[in-house]
Amino acid sequence: MQRLSKLLLVWLLVGLLPTGSASAQSVDQPQTTDRTLIGQLQQQTDGQLQIERHAETGKVRFLATTPGQPIKRARTLTASATPEQAARSFLANYGALFGLRAQADELVAMREPAFGDRSFVRFQQRYHGVPVLGGELVVQTDGQRNIVTANGEALPDITVDTTPGVSAQQAQAQARAVVAQSYTLADNQLTVGQPQLAIFNPALLGGPGLRITHLAWRVDVQSSAAGTPVR
């Protein structure tokens, strides 16, 4: 099943006409801006800051404080602010560490579960309204809306045309054909979902392929054939 998902994704990417691309950043020394922002955070937390970077993009993928040393909420916010407001305020100031340019334009809040006084705001990264595959960030706040952790991945420096060179109908046909051929199934044994546009770069998901950002169609294909579970 894992093999199928990789095969299907590659097929649909080949079927698209990439109208622009942006390679993921290589892992070099953090830029001056990153060092400045990290220095500010370390000062706020008395140096008790844990940071991990993405192996391919070089951007921060995990940031955490130690108990009792949260990152204080912005002065413009009160303890009555919502978790999303606190998370967005934090990312407005420090989103560049994760590869964001402007969080208000790039992030859509998805879920906001709470456990005790802790809240976890999950964001989906988007580019001109198109979701980025694997581009999600989760910000944890405490009861005073201070920041405790921020983790996830974002795709930096996206510059692609979001007008597809392949229609949704063509994407459905290609998806059906590759699954039918791979599993020796008839077309009428497959159910093909509605294609959805997405931004894809294998660097973010750790998959094979050139580290180039593409516009792609994401299509779910399932089988109704007995004994052949396919999704």
Side-chain angles (χ1 to χ4, degrees):
M1 202 170 295
Q2 184 178 8
R3 181 180 68 85
L4 172 62
S5 64
K6 290 181 179 178
L7 175 63
L8 178 58
L9 186 56
V10 170
W11 178 274
L12 295 181
L13 282 173
V14 170
L16 275 170
L17 300 176
T19 52
S21 65
S23 300
Q25 292 181 351
S26 59
V27 182
D28 296 316
Q29 291 295 324
Q31 297 178 353
T32 302
T33 299
D34 284 12
R35 290 198 297 268
T36 300
L37 294 176
I38 290 174
Q40 293 173 0
L41 291 173
Q42 288 177 330
Q43 185 175 14
Q44 288 188 53
T45 58
D46 290 337
Q48 303 301 309
L49 190 67
Q50 303 175 48
I51 291 179
E52 294 180 9
R53 291 183 177 273
H54 193 282
E56 296 204 47
T57 69
K59 292 299 183 179
V60 172
R61 68 181 303 175
F62 177 78
L63 184 152
T65 63
T66 57
Q69 291 286 352
I71 300 168
K72 297 296 184 181
R73 66 176 185 269
R75 295 179 179 178
T76 55
L77 297 178
T78 66
S80 62
T82 67
E84 181 181 346
Q85 287 174 327
R88 286 190 179 278
S89 176
F90 168 76
L91 291 172
N93 292 323
Y94 299 102
L97 292 173
F98 295 88
L100 299 176
R101 292 169 175 163
Q103 65 82 24
D105 298 327
E106 296 178 79
L107 298 179
V108 174
M110 299 167 60
R111 293 185 294 277
E112 193 178 297
F115 301 92
D117 67 342
R118 300 296 176 92
S119 295
F120 300 79
V121 186
R122 180 180 293 274
F123 295 99
Q124 166 72 59
Q125 184 187 12
R126 294 177 181 257
Y127 177 75
H128 292 180
V130 179
V132 178
L133 285 178
E136 294 188 9
L137 293 173
V138 179
V139 179
Q140 178 187 173
T141 64
D142 64 16
Q144 299 300 310
R145 301 300 180 247
N146 301 313
I147 306 301
V148 180
T149 62
N151 65 282
E153 300 171 350
L155 186 61
D157 303 322
I158 303 173
T159 53
V160 296
D161 188 343
T162 54
T163 301
V166 170
S167 70
Q169 291 74 19
Q170 289 173 310
Q172 282 181 314
Q174 289 185 24
R176 184 189 297 275
V178 71
V179 175
Q181 182 178 14
S182 298
Y183 285 85
T184 317
L185 295 170
D187 286 352
N188 60 9
Q189 292 177 303
L190 296 173
T191 301
V192 184
Q194 183 65 33
Q196 296 179 331
L197 282 176
I199 304 296
F200 172 71
N201 188 316
L204 203 61
L205 299 174
L210 295 175
R211 274 34 185 167
I212 296 176
T213 300
H214 294 270
L215 180 69
W217 286 109
R218 177 177 179 173
V219 187
D220 286 336
V221 181
Q222 300 185 53
S223 169
S224 58
T228 311
V230 175
R231 182 160 190 253

